Amino acid sequence: MSESTHARIPAAPPRQPLPLMQLILVGLQHVLLMYGGAVAVPLIIGQAAGLSREEIAFLINADLLVAGIATVVQSLGIGPLGIRMPIMMGASFAAVGSMVAMAGMPGVGLPGIFGATIAAGLFGMLIAPFMSKIVRFFPPLVTGTVITSIGLSLFPVAVNWAGGGNKAVSFGDPLYLGVAALVLLTILLINRFMRGFWVNISVLIGMGLGYILSGFIGMVDLSGLAQADWMKVVTPLHFGMPQFSLAPILSMCLVVVIIFVESTGMFLALGKITDREVTPGMLRRGLLCDAAASFLAGFLNTFTHSSFAQNIGLVQMTGVRCRSVTIVAGGFLILLSLLPKAAYLVASIPPAVLGGAAIAMFGMVAATGIKILQEADISDRRNQLLVAVSIGMGLIPVVRPEFFSQLPHWMGPITHSGIAMATLSAVLLNLLFNVLGGAERAAMAGPAHSH
């Protein structure tokens, strides 16, 4: 009987606690992968608000602090909060467009953004119990489509990094491509010829080699490191008391709904990767943590937070599925928020290094979606149409971000999110073809069977 039990639960060994050193190294991988995305949002908003370099640095530290706290709570689970799976949290890109607009509005600025973030977090906590019930609208057909779309929508980010990033003087320079190729090749060779511990830290080794090579050829910029503080504590309400205005609050509440849609897809993806069924109760705890993180963020000078899709690919690729890894990673983020010099060093990783690793990991997210789609009846023409249209809708904001620019501004959080577009399309088409359409087919089949 024990043999059959082990056969049914192949995921048990990867969830066992790792040795301490391995735990630290794999946790560091998670931090390095998501760091660029975590600091991008406060960087963009700080620039839009016209803040000084020191104030933008403070915004980044505040974001790292909240991301670390939220990651620990989401992974560990505290009371009604946290899905208790290996999740990384960070500032959400879904709100960037709205917040940039708010930053330039008279009488709104950062206090208005923080007030809207607090109100939206409270709104999210109120609706999370209701949103958690939508898990029944995510059969394998929908889940597989959404997860494939998550991977595909992330892929342009990986390609952009590999080519040198947005600030590259000569995008696609052979030096950038060579560094990205070295990182990717290192990861592939370790996964081919090594086992166990080495596979678990293959991304870290690849990025480490890429960083060393980048340093030798002058791609690592450490200017300003000497001026950074050794230690700085994030103080609440640093920019003054939050202000509450109706229009920004409504805009951010819509953003929270979009975050919930995206997070639902990511939680289900992680559930498939870790061989755990995501129940409505688990989904409720996960969404509550998303909302509570945003509520806290407004007081700690940062923005709406959500789960990071990038790190799901890392869980799939390394096979390390224990949540203690992301708890350690959350601790690293909190530490980085207190040590600006250390955070500065992490920020000096060239985009090409990240790109080489991201090509493998973001592709793994898409591959997971394709694997899940095999559980659905893809031979059915309607289901093929659902997958085709939903993935196409998810790629619109990626291929041409300005495609929906003429639509009302309030729709921005939806139309700018490929994950949200793909999810809404897949859920609605599944209702049309398989829920409502399934009832029609059953009704038509009824008289035939009665004969």
Side-chain angles (χ1 to χ4, degrees), residues 135-148 268 272 368-378 383 386-387 426 430 434:
V135 70
R136 62 195 179 95
F137 295 113
F138 284 80
L141 177 66
V142 173
T143 305
T145 302
V146 170
I147 295 167
T148 303
L268 292 170
K272 292 290 184 180
T368 300
I370 294 169
K371 179 184 175 186
I372 295 166
L373 280 173
Q374 293 174 353
E375 301 174 26
D377 182 12
I378 296 299
N383 290 346
L386 180 151
V387 174
N430 185 59
N434 297 317

Side-chain angles (χ1 to χ4, degrees), residues 5-85:
T5 303
H6 286 301
R8 286 197 305 271
I9 316 177
R15 289 202 202 104
Q16 291 174 354
L18 296 174
L20 180 61
M21 182 52 66
Q22 201 174 151
L23 199 62
I24 290 170
L25 292 174
V26 179
L28 185 59
Q29 276 185 150
H30 274 287
V31 171
L32 295 179
L33 179 63
M34 61 85 69
Y35 190 90
V39 303
V41 175
L43 193 61
I44 293 168
I45 305 306
Q47 290 171 344
L51 299 183
S52 66
R53 186 170 180 173
E54 290 73 26
E55 295 287 34
I56 291 175
F58 183 88
L59 271 188
I60 290 172
N61 286 346
D63 182 66
L64 292 174
L65 176 63
V66 174
I69 294 170
T71 296
V72 171
V73 174
Q74 189 72 277
S75 304
L76 180 64
I78 297 178
L81 304 179
I83 198 167
R84 297 170 190 169
M85 290 201 297

Side-chain angles (χ1 to χ4, degrees), residues 270-291:
L270 198 57
K272 292 290 184 180
I273 290 169
T274 58
D275 293 333
R276 289 187 66 186
E277 181 187 355
V278 177
T279 63
M282 289 172 66
L283 186 58
R284 183 182 68 249
R285 291 200 303 269
L287 297 179
L288 273 172
C289 187
D290 276 9

Side-chain angles (χ1 to χ4, degrees), residues 181-191 202 205-207 209-210:
L182 171 71
V183 175
L184 179 58
L185 185 62
T186 302
I187 293 168
L188 293 174
L189 290 176
I190 291 173
N191 277 272
S202 60
I205 295 171
M207 291 177 68
L209 287 176

